[in-house]
Amino acid sequence: MTTDPLQILKTVYGYDAFRGQQAEIIRHVMAGNNAFVLMPTGGGKSLCYQIPALARNGMGLVVSPLIALMVDQVAALRQAGVRAEALNSDLLPDERRALWREMRAGNVDILYAAPETLLKPDVLDALQPIGLSLIAIDEAHCLSQWGHDFRPPYRQLDTLIERFPDTPRMALTATADEPTRAEILGHLGIDENDAFIAGFDRPNIRYAIMEKDNPRAQLKRFLKGREHESGIVYCLSKRKVDETAAWLREEGRDALPYHAGMDKAAREVNQTHFQHGEAVIIVATVAFGMGIDKPDVRFVVHVDLPGSIEAYYQETGRAGRDGLPSEVLMLYGYEDIALRNRFIEESDAADQRKYMERQKLDALLGLAETAGCRRQVLLSYFGDGCEPCDNCDTCAEPPDLFDGAIAAQKLLSCIYRTGERFGQAYVIRVLLGMEDERISSFGHDRITTYGIGKEHDNRTWRAILRQMVALRLIEVDLSGHGGLSISEDGRRFLREKPSLMLRIPSAPRSARQQAPRSSASTALPEADRSLFEALRAKRMEIARAQNVPPYVIFHDKTLVELAAAKPATVTEMARIPGVGDTKLERYGPAFLTAIMQHAAGD
């Protein structure tokens, strides 16, 4: 194989030019240097280590956190003609021995391995005489104790420095704030001058965050018109995952659950179905996702509040890896905020860890409650920035603000006057002066705060209360019955009475115009969309025959290019991005025939 990176890019991967910092990173590693690469999902991180691994002498070693991710990446590389293998615990003894023979014979270009397998002394000893072109540590944020996906075995990867001191090391991630980046660099012995920070923006993703009102109705509205798209729905609990998946199936969707409480074999069946399908919804806890390299996930929905901005960014980043338009939606309410606070307070973590987790939650709530561009808030958390994006809900419909100081004082006073033990619904009913037998029985129809909040309706009071919980002015006792109490910050607020700008809740989504739907086909003129669907059908036919995910044949983005260009010859098809030499030889005739037949049908 050629040692020219650009030639490898064209012949193996089917692209004519590198993007962003790819060329600079590849040259840097080709020269034998270490590298830390922070690049957004879909930005082409894998090429930054795969191409040097193919161009340099020896075998590329890639540390990957999950078997499913390895299997996916190996399948994609093999489709492109690369001799890729995975060393993991699923291999049978005969398969393992055969793999080692192939490695010793120099017949493996790139080897993927999980840290748990790789760090076994006998594995390290066996790798020693096999020349390595580089060591790439993918999902490197897993080694950070401050990160959201901490994996203890990743902490032991510094052993590789001692074992292979002259082999270039690469650490790659899409998600790392400044403390996490510093920890990765220090732990793996990579100099700050060897760091490449490519930014965090995913311009093809449309961000939306809504107050949780009726989650199933909101999810149903969001999914309308997405019958032919795959997506992920994240829930906080295993029970909610099972119930939501069952409900979606009743609604006629191909939806499957995924969580740690399921049998491993059942999880794998569901994951495979998701990867191999083109209109499948996986409903999951955060146990699902890191092992997924599916590029055509068109939407991600959080029906519960995630744990941090890092988690939110990582999970929403599973949408639109192919660069085509995709949408993400997060629903949250004051109960979610209270539950996340409770998780932090009741954990066994040290005080320093709890403090950092509270800071992370506050940053996420700042994103949820912002009246400005969501993308700007999201990127600023990672030290990045952008102009107002016009591709998020707050840019499309900027929320109105009001000085909610008086409303906040009334709400806090009502919580105090009712004894700091009642929940949201009860306190708001007192504020609204509603006739209620329970209120009367407690004598709360005779307190000074009864009926003093009639200037706002129930929905507005819920929004005010949610924002005050987010600001830590109100605490929620979830271990009891959701009773509200005034925090120390809330008592200080009552004493000092500062101004307090709050969001006015927007009209329910059903009363507004639906957001424009994003899909792969919308990147094409109407006249070309039927050809795109015909090419998808041909891709699925080939994928099923090989029992591989459709996207390892061609990405949706390549099908879009094929539908637009309508190549008539192998030479013309070779110019389409994503069509390398091996795929052109294997699949060119079948797709050219499909294009010709579609034209004849027209």
Side-chain angles (χ1 to χ4, degrees):
M1 182 177 287
T2 177
T3 59
D4 177 19
L6 192 58
Q7 188 67 20
I8 294 172
L9 180 71
K10 176 58 182 172
T11 58
V12 177
Y13 299 96
Y15 298 105
D16 292 322
F18 288 108
R19 289 186 289 158
Q21 294 180 292
Q22 285 178 328
E24 183 184 358
I25 294 166
I26 289 168
R27 283 196 301 270
H28 186 78
V29 177
M30 289 279 292
N33 299 305
N34 300 325
F36 169 77
V37 178
L38 193 154
M39 191 177 287
T41 302
K45 287 191 304 297
S46 58
L47 290 184
C48 293
Y49 64 79
Q50 288 174 2
I51 288 180
L54 296 174
R56 286 173 56 86
N57 290 328
M59 178 183 75
L61 174 64
V62 182
V63 181
S64 186
L66 295 175
I67 292 175
L69 182 56
M70 289 183 235
V71 170
D72 224 18
Q73 291 174 323
V74 166
L77 283 168
R78 287 177 177 174
Q79 289 290 334
V82 176
R83 299 175 301 178
E85 298 286 349
L87 179 65
N88 58 56
S89 57
D90 282 358
L91 292 178
L92 298 173
D94 287 347
E95 293 173 327
R96 184 179 291 264
R97 285 191 288 270
L99 175 54
W100 279 109
R101 284 197 297 272
E102 290 296 300
M103 284 192 278
R104 293 187 188 103
N107 295 331
V108 177
D109 296 321
I110 299 177
L111 177 72
Y112 285 81
E116 293 85 348
T117 299
L118 176 63
L119 294 171
K120 292 177 180 178
D122 60 324
V123 173
L124 290 172
D125 290 342
L127 280 173
Q128 206 80 44
I130 298 173
L132 298 182
S133 56
L134 59 80
I135 298 170
I137 299 169
D138 202 8
E139 308 289 355
H141 60 272
C142 291
L143 72 76
S144 172
Q145 296 183 75
W146 303 114
H148 63 286
D149 277 329
F150 177 51
R151 290 275 297 270
Y154 262 71
R155 297 291 295 178
Q156 302 168 32
L157 290 173
D158 53 353
T159 303
L160 299 174
I161 302 173
E162 303 167 14
R163 288 281 193 151
F164 306 97
D166 299 323
T167 303
R169 295 184 301 283
M170 299 184 71
L172 305 101
T173 181
T175 316
D177 57 12
E178 290 187 14
T180 301
R181 296 202 290 266
E183 188 173 5
I184 294 170
L185 291 169
H187 195 76
L188 295 177
I190 299 175
D191 193 273
E192 287 184 8
N193 295 324
D194 294 323
F196 297 84
I197 312 298
F200 291 83
D201 193 15
R202 299 286 306 284
N204 61 309
I205 293 179
R206 183 183 189 277
Y207 295 97
I209 299 176
M210 296 170 63
E211 177 188 359
K212 190 183 292 186
D213 186 3
N214 182 332
R216 286 192 177 180
Q218 289 170 297
L219 180 57
K220 186 174 180 177
R221 285 195 295 270
F222 179 83
L223 293 177
K224 187 177 180 181
R226 300 181 182 279
E227 289 77 13
H228 303 294
E229 298 176 2
S230 288
I232 304 171
V233 176
Y234 282 110
C235 303
L236 191 55
S237 71
K238 293 178 282 190
R239 178 180 174 181
K240 194 166 184 179
V241 163
D242 290 332
E243 291 174 349
T244 303
W247 169 71
L248 284 171
R249 287 195 298 275
E250 291 171 3
E251 293 289 318
R253 300 303 298 256
D254 187 358
L256 297 169
Y258 187 105
H259 56 72
M262 295 171 60
D263 176 74
K264 180 184 176 185
R267 286 201 311 270
E268 289 177 352
V269 167
N270 289 0
Q271 179 165 317
T272 298
H273 182 71
F274 176 66
Q275 290 173 289
H276 288 219
E278 290 190 320
V280 183
I281 297 174
I282 205 85
V283 185
T285 60
V286 293
F288 176 85
M290 191 189 295
I292 289 302
D293 204 23
K294 185 176 172 70
D296 59 346
V297 174
R298 293 271 72 86
F299 60 86
V300 172
V301 179
H302 287 86
V303 295
D304 297 307
L305 187 72
S308 66
I309 283 190
E310 291 99 328
Y312 173 76
Y313 181 83
Q314 183 88 5
E315 289 151 17
T316 56
R318 284 149 197 162
R321 296 172 68 101
D322 54 10
L324 292 173
S326 303
E327 288 192 57
V328 300
L329 170 67
M330 183 175 85
L331 306 176
Y332 80 110
Y334 91 100
E335 298 95 338
D336 295 295
I337 303 168
L339 188 59
R340 285 293 180 185
N341 276 315
R342 177 181 158 193
F343 285 166
I344 294 170
E345 297 308 319
E346 294 183 358
S347 73
D348 295 329
D351 288 344
Q352 184 183 9
R353 176 74 189 200
K354 287 183 178 181
Y355 173 78
M356 181 166 283
E357 292 299 329
R358 283 192 291 269
Q359 297 295 103
K360 288 176 180 287
L361 179 59
D362 285 347
L364 179 64
L365 296 175
L367 171 67
E369 296 292 356
T370 184
C373 171
R374 295 209 193 275
R375 195 178 307 272
Q376 286 184 321
V377 176
L378 181 64
L379 296 183
S380 69
Y381 179 84
F382 295 106
D384 201 356
C386 69
E387 295 298 315
C389 70
D390 293 325
N391 196 27
C392 70
D393 57 341
T394 49
C395 279
E397 298 178 70
D400 294 322
L401 300 178
F402 76 108
D403 188 342
I406 298 299
Q409 291 168 31
K410 289 181 178 181
L411 180 53
L412 291 171
S413 296
C414 194
I415 291 171
Y416 177 76
R417 298 290 179 188
T418 53
E420 297 189 69
R421 62 192 182 95
F422 291 94
Q424 168 188 256
Y426 184 90
V427 171
I428 291 175
R429 287 175 73 81
V430 173
L431 279 169
L432 292 174
M434 306 201 52
E435 294 184 11
D436 186 298
E437 191 175 306
R438 190 163 173 244
I439 291 174
S440 299
S441 68
F442 284 110
H444 292 152
D445 55 347
R446 298 188 298 275
I447 61 176
T448 57
T449 54
Y450 179 73
I452 65 168
K454 292 181 180 180
E455 72 274 23
H456 300 302
D457 61 13
N458 185 289
R459 190 164 182 272
T460 302
W461 276 118
R462 285 207 325 266
I464 292 169
L465 192 149
R466 185 189 72 243
Q467 293 174 73
M468 291 177 67
V469 172
L471 293 167
R472 300 189 190 283
L473 301 177
I474 296 173
E475 294 176 346
V476 184
D477 179 17
L478 284 178
S479 60
H481 299 284
L484 305 179
S485 60
I486 305 171
S487 69
E488 285 302 315
D489 287 343
R491 296 179 194 283
R492 187 179 308 111
F493 177 85
L494 280 174
R495 289 194 302 271
E496 298 175 1
K497 297 180 173 58
S499 63
L500 182 68
M501 299 307 294
L502 299 176
R503 290 167 54 118
I504 299 173
S506 55
R509 188 63 172 170
S510 58
R512 293 180 285 150
Q513 184 179 2
Q514 287 286 341
R517 293 307 186 192
S518 56
S519 68
S521 64
T522 57
L524 285 163
E526 187 72 37
D528 294 333
R529 292 179 188 177
S530 61
L531 175 55
F532 172 78
E533 294 301 332
L535 296 176
R536 284 184 81 196
K538 174 55 66 177
R539 180 180 64 178
M540 179 59 82
E541 176 189 321
I542 295 170
R544 283 176 175 161
Q546 297 185 35
N547 193 29
V548 296
Y551 52 82
V552 304
I553 307 296
F554 287 126
H555 283 195
D556 275 0
K557 200 165 188 177
T558 300
L559 298 190
V560 167
E561 296 280 355
L562 285 169
K566 303 177 187 62
T569 66
V570 169
T571 302
E572 290 176 0
M573 188 169 173
R575 300 191 189 108
I576 300 297
V579 182
D581 288 356
T582 299
K583 289 188 178 183
L584 184 64
E585 182 181 345
R586 287 179 181 173
Y587 308 124
F591 281 88
L592 288 171
T593 299
I595 293 169
M596 181 180 65
Q597 290 174 341
H598 186 271
D602 290 344

